[in-house]
Amino acid sequence: AGVDSGGTTPTATEVPKSDKPKVELFVMSYCPFGTQMEKGILPVVSTLGDKIDFTLRYTHFTLHGEKEDTENFRQLCIREEQSDKFLKYIQCTLDSTDSYNPKDVNACMADGRIDVAKVNTCIDKKVVDYYKVDSDLSKGYGVQGSPTLVINGVQADSARSPAAILAAICSSFNNPPSECSAQLSTSSPSAGFGYNAGNSGDTAALNCGV
C-alpha cells in the first residue's frame, strides 16, 4: 500500500560528474512532497538554463486516484508535444490557493496558450507510449517514491530548498558554471499546492511512496 508520508528512498551512491548534468525529477502530480520539490527545483532550472538537461518525469505508480492519472497524462502530453509551454504550465498549477488541488488546469492551459485539442488527442492516442518511457526509467532507477531526484543516472539526496537543490546539481558538473554561485532561497517550499500552504521545513525524508 502507498503512503503520503514517511517513505524513504535508498541511500544514494555517489553521483558521477559530467559536463552537462542530466537531471530528472520523478513525481506524481498530486503528491504534496512532489509538488514541494517542483517548487524548489523550478528556480534552479531557471537559473541553470541550458547548462543542464532537465526533465520532469512521472513515477511508475500513482497513489491519488483517477485525478492524478489524468493530470499526469495531461502534463506528459504538454511536455512531449508543447515543450516550450510545459514549465510555465507546471508553475501555474503550483501557484494555487488550495494546498490539495492545483490551480484550475483549464485556466493554466489558456494562460499558457496550450493547444487543448492537441493535448486531448495525445491523451487518446499517444500518452501511453510517453508514459511507458518514464515508467521504465522509474523502475530502472529503483524509484520508490515521489519526489526522487536522479542526477546523471543516480539517485541524489537533496533538501528541497532551491539553494540545496542548486548545490546538489552543481556538485555533478565537471566544471561548475558561474550560475552555480547564484544566491537562491535556503527555505524549503511548503508541501502541497500553493506557496502559503504552511507545512514547510525540513521534510526531505517524506515522500509519497510504496
Side-chain angles (χ1 to χ4, degrees):
V3 294
D4 254 2
S5 64
T8 57
T9 54
T11 302
T13 56
E14 186 174 352
V15 175
K17 295 181 184 295
S18 65
D19 290 336
K20 185 175 184 177
K22 182 178 181 181
V23 181
E24 297 166 283
L25 176 62
F26 287 82
V27 299
M28 307 170 196
S29 58
Y30 273 80
C31 171
F33 307 112
T35 54
Q36 179 187 37
M37 188 71 166
E38 287 177 305
K39 286 183 280 185
I41 204 169
L42 284 175
V44 179
V45 173
S46 177
T47 297
L48 292 174
D50 62 5
K51 301 293 173 68
I52 60 172
D53 177 10
F54 173 70
T55 308
L56 183 66
R57 297 194 183 277
Y58 300 87
T59 57
H60 62 279
F61 57 94
T62 58
L63 299 174
H64 305 97
E66 184 179 353
K67 67 179 183 179
E68 182 164 72
D69 294 332
T70 298
E71 183 59 21
N72 283 0
F73 284 177
R74 181 182 292 113
Q75 292 183 12
L76 272 162
C77 284
I78 297 170
R79 187 192 78 191
E80 290 300 309
E81 299 189 352
Q82 302 181 63
S83 60
D84 58 324
K85 303 172 182 177
F86 176 61
L87 291 181
K88 181 179 179 181
Y89 173 78
I90 296 297
Q91 181 71 60
C92 180
T93 62
L94 291 171
D95 188 14
S96 176
T97 57
D98 183 344
S99 61
Y100 296 100
N101 292 288
K103 186 175 179 180
D104 182 78
V105 294
N106 292 318
C108 286
M109 286 196 288
D111 183 59
R113 303 190 178 214
I114 291 166
D115 185 333
V116 177
K118 190 172 184 178
V119 170
N120 291 337
T121 298
C122 169
I123 290 173
D124 287 341
K125 298 182 177 180
K126 298 180 181 178
V127 77
V128 172
D129 292 333
Y130 295 150
Y131 181 56
K132 185 178 186 305
V133 174
D134 281 30
S135 181
D136 288 349
L137 285 169
S138 177
K139 293 173 186 175
Y141 290 140
V143 170
Q144 295 182 336
S146 164
T148 297
L149 180 65
V150 176
I151 302 175
N152 290 334
V154 173
Q155 288 194 34
D157 291 326
S158 175
R160 295 175 185 168
S161 71
I165 298 168
L166 179 67
I169 294 173
C170 284
S171 68
S172 68
F173 279 96
N174 286 323
N175 297 294
S178 60
E179 288 84 353
C180 285
S181 61
Q183 300 298 306
L184 301 184
S185 173
T186 57
S187 298
S188 294
S190 55
F193 294 96
Y195 286 82
N196 298 297
N199 202 24
S200 61
D202 186 8
T203 54
L206 300 181
N207 62 40
C208 307
V210 293

